[in-house]
Amino acid sequence: MKALTNPYTPNAGAEPQAVVGRDDQLESFDLLLARIASGRTEQSMIITGLRGVGKTVLLGQFRTKALARDWVVVELEVSKNDENGFRRDIATRLRTALFELSPKARWSDRFRHAAAVLKSFTLHVDAAGAWTAGLDVEAAEGFADHANLALDLTDLLLAVGEAAAERDRGVVLLFDEVQFLSKQQLEAVIEGLHKMVQRKLPITMVAAGLPQIAELAGDAKSYAERLFKFPAIGILSPEDAREALVRPAQDEDADYTSDALDEAVALTGRYPYFLQELGYAVWTIAEGPIITRDDVVAAVPGYEAKLDESFFRVRLDRATELQRAYLRAMAQLGPEPQKASVVAEVMGPDRTSENLAPTRAELINMGLLYTPEHGYAAFTVPHFDQFVLRAIPNLVVPAVKRRKPRSG
C-alpha cells in the first residue's frame, strides 16, 4: 500500500491515529482541572509505566485538554541536571507562562511581583549571576533568594499561582521522564505543589515516569502518596490492541483479517508502541486493502530490525562492558523480574550480588532497569530481553580486576 497513506506513527511520543485504552486517566485529568478551577483540591497524577506504553502520548492528550479549558501549559522533558540547570529550565518556562497569562502591558502588581520573584529565583543560576529571566524588574528581596531550592521554588510557584488566580486561569506543569529529577529537585517540586494545594492556588503538575518514581517520590517526601495518584499504565486489552490497528487502517479504507490481528497482537505483546511499529511495517509490504496473517508474518523481519535499530540499540550502546554482561545475564533468565543473587550466579563464581551492586545501581540510574520489589530488578523496556539475546549471542563477563599487592 502507499507509503503516503500509512496511518501508523512509530515515533517517540507521536500521537497515534487511534488513542485507546486510556479513558480512566483522561477522565481523572478532566476532574483534576475542573475541581481546581472551582476552588477545590484534588490529587494530581504521576503516570507510571515501562517504555513504549504511551506515557508521553498521554501527556500530549492532557495538553490538548488543558488548552481547551484555557489553562496555561508548561511542558518539560526532565533531564539529569544540576540545580542551576534545573532552575534555568523551570524559570524559562514559567517566564513564558507569565506572558501567556497576561501581556506585559496589562500586568498588575501581582504579575510584577511574580516577575520580580522569578528574577530573584534565577540569580542563583550561576556564581557570576550571568543568566537572569530577562525581565526589566528588580529582584524581589526576601523571595526565592534563600539559596534553598525547595523554599525558592515554593516562593516562585506561589507568586505565579496568585497571578494566575487573579486572571481566573490555571497553570498545569506537564513533566515527562520525571524519574530523572534528583532527590533534591523532586523534593522541591513536591513541596511547592503541596503549598499550592494548601493555598488552593490554580497550579498543578501531572507527570510521567518509569515505575520507580512512586518509590522515589515517597522517599523525597512522605506525604507524596497523599498529594499524588500513581496510576500505572501498561499493555492494552486484546480488544483495545485490535482497535489500535484496525481504526487507522479503516480510515484509509483498509482492514485486517481476524487471524492477522491475532498474530499482530501476539507478536507485539499488546504494547502500544510496538503495535504502531508493526502496523507501519505491515502497511509497507501489504498489497491490501485486506491485510492477512501472511502480510503480518512477512513484515516481522523489518519490524524487528527497526526496533533493534531505533528503540533498543540506543539504550544498549550506552552500557559498559560489565553493564552489558549484567543485562545479558538477566535476559538469559527471562523477561520477569530477577533476583540480584541469581543474576550474579549466572555471571560466574567471581561475581556476587554485593560486588555487582554498583553495576545494578548504574543501570537503574540510566533508566534501563527498575526495582519492582526489594532485591529484584526488571527491564524498563518491554521485550528488551529478546533484543539482548539477539544482540549479544554469548554471555561474556569481564574478569574481575584484582588489586596488585603493595610492595615493601
Side-chain angles (χ1 to χ4, degrees):
M1 289 183 281
K2 293 180 180 179
L4 182 63
T5 61
N6 195 324
Y8 300 100
T9 56
N11 306 101
E15 182 176 321
Q17 204 157 307
V19 178
V20 296
R22 305 303 183 219
D23 291 346
D24 288 348
Q25 292 76 37
L26 293 169
E27 289 172 8
S28 291
F29 185 74
D30 282 336
L31 178 64
L32 171 66
L33 296 194
R35 284 184 60 84
I36 292 174
S38 66
R40 296 179 173 88
T41 62
E42 179 69 14
Q43 281 181 303
S44 188
M45 291 185 290
I46 298 181
I47 308 294
T48 70
L50 301 181
R51 303 286 184 194
V53 296
K55 300 185 299 297
T56 304
V57 168
L58 197 50
L59 288 181
Q61 294 277 297
F62 294 158
R63 176 183 181 273
T64 299
K65 284 179 168 289
L67 292 175
R69 289 178 173 269
D70 200 30
W71 279 57
V72 172
V73 175
V74 173
E75 295 181 281
L76 175 65
E77 182 177 336
V78 176
S79 56
K80 292 180 182 179
N81 257 334
D82 60 14
E83 182 181 325
N84 286 343
F86 179 71
R87 281 181 182 263
R88 183 182 294 109
D89 286 344
I90 293 292
T92 300
R93 286 159 178 80
L94 288 179
R95 177 184 183 277
T96 300
L98 273 180
F99 286 113
E100 288 188 37
L101 286 167
S102 175
K104 190 174 180 182
R106 295 174 52 201
W107 277 8
S108 64
D109 288 344
R110 282 187 176 176
F111 275 84
R112 284 188 285 273
H113 173 69
V117 174
L118 178 59
K119 186 162 188 176
S120 180
F121 182 81
T122 64
L123 290 178
H124 295 280
V125 166
D126 63 39
W131 190 88
T132 68
L135 299 165
D136 55 349
V137 295
E138 294 296 322
E141 291 187 22
F143 294 91
D145 59 1
H146 313 290
N148 178 295
L149 182 60
L151 294 177
D152 292 350
L153 183 58
T154 298
D155 281 353
L156 179 56
L157 291 178
L158 282 170
V160 175
E162 287 168 354
E166 185 178 77
R167 291 288 189 268
D168 292 321
R169 296 182 70 189
V171 178
V172 58
L173 313 176
L174 298 180
F175 284 9
D176 202 1
E177 302 286 4
V178 72
Q179 76 278 350
F180 288 133
L181 290 174
S182 70
K183 183 176 181 180
Q184 181 191 32
Q185 293 161 2
L186 184 57
E187 184 179 63
V189 169
I190 294 171
E191 191 170 317
L193 292 170
H194 189 216
K195 189 62 68 176
M196 297 302 99
V197 172
Q198 291 175 323
R199 300 284 180 89
K200 294 185 177 179
L201 290 173
I203 294 185
T204 190
M205 179 188 81
V206 176
L210 294 175
Q212 64 262 37
I213 186 56
E215 182 180 356
L216 295 175
D219 289 343
K221 283 292 182 182
S222 60
Y223 55 74
E225 63 185 24
R226 286 168 283 154
L227 191 63
F228 296 104
K229 300 172 186 174
F230 294 92
I233 63 173
I235 61 174
L236 299 174
S237 70
E239 296 76 18
D240 285 337
R242 285 172 168 78
E243 188 176 357
L245 288 170
V246 169
R247 270 174 50 189
Q250 290 179 342
D251 288 345
E252 300 297 334
D253 299 318
D255 210 339
Y256 289 78
T257 63
S258 179
D259 59 346
L261 288 173
D262 290 341
E263 185 71 18
V265 167
L267 280 168
T268 59
R270 310 202 304 269
Y271 284 99
Y273 177 76
F274 293 166
L275 286 162
Q276 295 299 310
E277 199 70 81
L278 181 61
Y280 191 94
V282 169
W283 194 271
T284 62
I285 61 98
E287 293 184 5
I290 301 301
I291 297 168
T292 67
R293 181 181 181 277
D294 287 343
D295 293 328
V296 174
V297 171
V300 169
Y303 160 73
E304 288 187 345
K306 178 72 182 302
L307 283 177
D308 286 358
E309 293 167 10
S310 64
F311 187 68
F312 292 131
R313 188 166 298 283
V314 66
R315 292 172 168 85
L316 187 62
D317 285 350
R318 293 183 290 135
T320 65
E321 187 180 6
L322 182 56
Q323 289 168 352
R324 287 164 65 91
Y326 196 96
L327 294 172
R328 176 59 174 74
M330 281 191 61
Q332 184 170 314
L333 292 166
E336 303 82 8
Q338 303 298 337
K339 195 171 184 179
S341 59
V342 176
V343 178
E345 287 177 12
V346 172
M347 294 183 69
D350 288 341
R351 299 292 179 176
T352 65
S353 56
E354 289 77 15
N355 64 31
L356 286 169
T359 301
R360 182 170 173 268
E362 290 161 3
L363 290 167
I364 292 170
N365 193 44
M366 291 165 66
L368 289 173
L369 301 179
Y370 75 101
T371 52
E373 58 181 299
H374 180 71
Y376 286 78
F379 295 116
T380 61
V381 181
H383 297 185
F384 197 62
D385 59 309
Q386 299 173 26
F387 163 70
V388 170
L389 293 175
R390 290 196 298 270
I392 311 174
N394 301 302
L395 173 60
V396 179
V397 181
V400 176
K401 292 182 180 179
R402 309 287 184 184
R403 288 188 178 181
K404 294 181 179 180
R406 295 182 179 178
S407 59

